[in-house]
Amino acid sequence: MLDDVAAAWRTARHPVVFTGAGMSTESGLPDFRSAQGLWKQRPESLATMAALRREPDEFYFFYQWRIARLWEAAPNAGHAALAALAAAGFVKRLITQNVDGLHQRAGGEAVELHGTLRTVSCLRCGAGYDSRTLLPAEPGWEEAYRAGRYRPGRECTCPHCGGGLRPDVVLFGESLPGAAWEEAARASRAADFFVVVGSSLAVGPANLCPAFALESGARLAVINAEDTHLDGRAAWLFRDKAAGVLAAIRERIIG
Ligand SMILES: [Zn+2]
């Protein structure tokens, strides 16, 4: 099946790749849903502007925890394989639901449908900062949270004007960035070969991208450890982690 999918990928006119959280679990970034034991609420209620205003302790700690993990993580062999395939002309567009920036850190480019956790910006003056700005300077803040002693500090306010900072991710209830969504939809409709990697296709409207590709007659490959609702329409289905499969395909296409 690897030889077969590699042959189809190599000869595709407009190959498009779509990635989700499963792309980054092998970089040591847990799908944050699996870490939700740390939080009383589900991410759907915590990752909102309402939560930022109503329960800033929970909101900021949730993002600080994720930002700390993000900058500790490194791209894996799957990110490297996709960057190499793109550099060799075998990926026309890479669309990602991830906010970790690992595709870019591997040397690739990505259309980021859900924004990025690599930067934060000021709610008052709009100034943008590296997201590490948001991390508390004093050690022990994660333990303080678990002990109920955590409070968001000055790091959560804009160094320029003192306004509140927010992560540059799409929060629940917010629309996708218009330009990114249009580009993703256009690329998906133009695809003749579409690869889903590490996404269970549970989150809309991002999960419309493979549907657009199928409507346009693209052949679909799915590389995901769990079921997706499009598995039955996939010409190639790898019920597996991402990095090993992508590295094997890369080997077959460009050596
Ligand atoms: Zn500001």
Side-chain angles (χ1 to χ4, degrees), residues 122 125 158 161:
C122 175
C125 76
C158 175
C161 79

PDB file of all heavy atoms in Angstrom, residues 122 125 158 161, ligand 1:
ATOM      1  N   CYS A 122      -2.277  42.206  21.841  1.00  0.00           N
ATOM      2  CA  CYS A 122      -2.947  43.032  22.845  1.00  0.00           C
ATOM      3  C   CYS A 122      -4.374  43.318  22.427  1.00  0.00           C
ATOM      4  O   CYS A 122      -4.641  43.721  21.302  1.00  0.00           O
ATOM      5  CB  CYS A 122      -2.170  44.341  23.016  1.00  0.00           C
ATOM      6  SG  CYS A 122      -3.001  45.500  24.124  1.00  0.00           S
ATOM      7  N   CYS A 125      -4.393  47.620  22.181  1.00  0.00           N
ATOM      8  CA  CYS A 125      -3.674  48.387  21.152  1.00  0.00           C
ATOM      9  C   CYS A 125      -3.284  47.529  19.945  1.00  0.00           C
ATOM     10  O   CYS A 125      -2.799  48.056  18.948  1.00  0.00           O
ATOM     11  CB  CYS A 125      -2.423  49.048  21.744  1.00  0.00           C
ATOM     12  SG  CYS A 125      -1.037  47.914  22.022  1.00  0.00           S
ATOM     13  N   CYS A 158      -0.114  43.775  28.225  1.00  0.00           N
ATOM     14  CA  CYS A 158       0.721  44.322  27.159  1.00  0.00           C
ATOM     15  C   CYS A 158       1.838  45.188  27.742  1.00  0.00           C
ATOM     16  O   CYS A 158       1.565  46.118  28.508  1.00  0.00           O
ATOM     17  CB  CYS A 158      -0.168  45.157  26.242  1.00  0.00           C
ATOM     18  SG  CYS A 158       0.698  46.042  24.937  1.00  0.00           S
ATOM     19  N   CYS A 161       0.995  48.979  26.587  1.00  0.00           N
ATOM     20  CA  CYS A 161      -0.144  49.806  27.051  1.00  0.00           C
ATOM     21  C   CYS A 161      -0.850  49.234  28.274  1.00  0.00           C
ATOM     22  O   CYS A 161      -1.750  49.877  28.811  1.00  0.00           O
ATOM     23  CB  CYS A 161      -1.159  49.981  25.917  1.00  0.00           C
ATOM     24  SG  CYS A 161      -2.247  48.569  25.670  1.00  0.00           S
TER      25      CYS A 161
HETATM   26 ZN    ZN B   1      -1.266  47.099  24.150  1.00  0.00          ZN
END
